[in-house]
Amino acid sequence: MKLILLGVPGAGKGTQAAQISARLGIPTLSTGNILRAAIAAKTPLGLQVEGILAGGELVSDEVILPLIKARMEEPDCKAGYILDGVPRTVAQAEGLEELGVEVDACLFFDVPDAVVIDRLGGRRTCGTCNAAFHVSANPPNVADVCDVCGDALTIRADDEPETIRRRLEVFREQTAPLIDFYTARGKVKPIPCGDKSVEEVTALVFQTLELA
Ligand code: AP5
């Protein structure tokens, strides 16, 4: 199974990717996580992209495509994968097609802006294992400690109100055209999330993928 998770920042892509990954036993390939790991390690790539992420802009297609290609060639991707946060532009989607990637479905997580603005304001993430929590809607068992690996939870650099607004604009300008791109290929499966809980959205996703 090869899946794309599409939706505005904070729509719950990473949260649901973890559920699907556990259910299907396939990895999540998140370009955001790859870039943040590079920033934390202060690699040349990390130094190149740090300001771009902090400002809510997109990293160039020329940087992203080789990164995701290399990740897809790793052995754990043989049985499939979940693409979280990529493709993000029509050029990236075309680039994946040129690599021969054929996805089974593109899940579109439809969540109103007001809901995601609140969610991102309360998000706490683990820089070690990438698990995401929310201070009230999806709290960790112990405040500011990751349930999965026990490390400290932090606030992402791009979860400041001004940057959240810019990320939403960038989604409309550069990523939303992918809905038409994958609709034309018969791949889009809408997930009408509204303000549903994590568990309710997971149930919808499994039903949509006929895993229920
Ligand atoms: P990326 O890391 O991909 O971030 P994003 O798309 O902005 O999405 P988020 O991670 O913010 O949100 P999410 O939808 O995963 O929500 P989550 O599950 O965490 O990209 C970051 C940056 O990297 C980009 O801005 C860009 O600069 C760069 N980048 C990455 N990929 C790129 C690419 N391909 N091309 C170019 N640049 C790229 O949930 C959010 C919060 O809500 C959490 O607190 C969670 O606990 C909570 N929550 C989730 N679901 C629910 C629910 N149903 N009810 C209540 N709370 C919920």
Side-chain angles (χ1 to χ4, degrees):
M1 177 93 79
K2 292 178 184 158
L3 298 172
I4 291 172
L5 307 192
L6 187 63
V8 288
K13 302 179 298 294
T15 301
Q16 296 303 327
Q19 303 295 326
I20 304 167
S21 172
R23 180 63 173 262
L24 291 177
I26 54 176
T28 300
L29 279 46
S30 159
T31 38
N33 288 343
I34 294 170
L35 295 168
R36 280 185 290 276
I39 291 168
K42 300 189 189 303
T43 65
L45 170 67
L47 296 174
Q48 180 190 343
V49 302
E50 186 168 15
I52 299 174
L53 268 76
E57 304 296 331
L58 291 186
V59 172
S60 75
D61 300 329
E62 291 71 25
V63 168
I64 294 294
L65 279 166
L67 268 189
I68 194 68
K69 177 176 183 288
R71 181 64 187 91
M72 288 187 306
E73 285 169 356
E74 289 180 29
D76 64 333
C77 292
K78 282 214 168 66
Y81 42 75
I82 302 155
L83 296 175
D84 169 10
V86 63
R88 202 88 158 211
T89 62
V90 170
Q92 289 179 21
E94 288 170 346
L96 291 180
E97 285 190 345
E98 281 162 24
L99 292 173
V101 174
E102 195 182 330
V103 295
D104 296 282
C106 171
L107 301 183
F108 171 51
F109 292 85
D110 196 2
V111 185
D113 282 7
V115 172
V116 298
I117 289 168
D118 174 61
R119 280 185 191 173
L120 293 176
R123 173 163 61 181
R124 299 291 180 272
T125 50
C126 177
T128 306
C129 75
N130 299 308
F133 300 87
H134 187 276
V135 287
S136 56
N138 181 24
N141 294 325
V142 177
D144 294 328
V145 176
C146 178
D147 286 355
V148 181
C149 73
D151 274 358
L153 299 178
T154 55
I155 299 174
R156 258 171 54 175
D158 57 351
D159 279 347
E160 297 297 329
E162 197 53 42
T163 315
I164 293 170
R165 270 192 290 279
R166 179 62 193 145
R167 288 161 64 202
L168 287 167
E169 282 172 8
V170 168
F171 177 88
R172 311 255 175 266
E173 291 163 7
Q174 302 191 52
T175 307
L178 289 175
I179 300 168
D180 285 345
F181 182 92
Y182 285 112
T183 297
R185 286 152 177 78
K187 301 294 185 189
V188 170
K189 293 187 188 293
I191 308 291
C193 305
D195 197 11
K196 291 185 176 64
S197 69
V198 170
E199 294 76 17
E200 287 170 322
V201 175
T202 303
L204 254 183
V205 168
F206 285 4
Q207 196 183 344
T208 302
L209 294 174
E210 299 180 0
L211 302 173

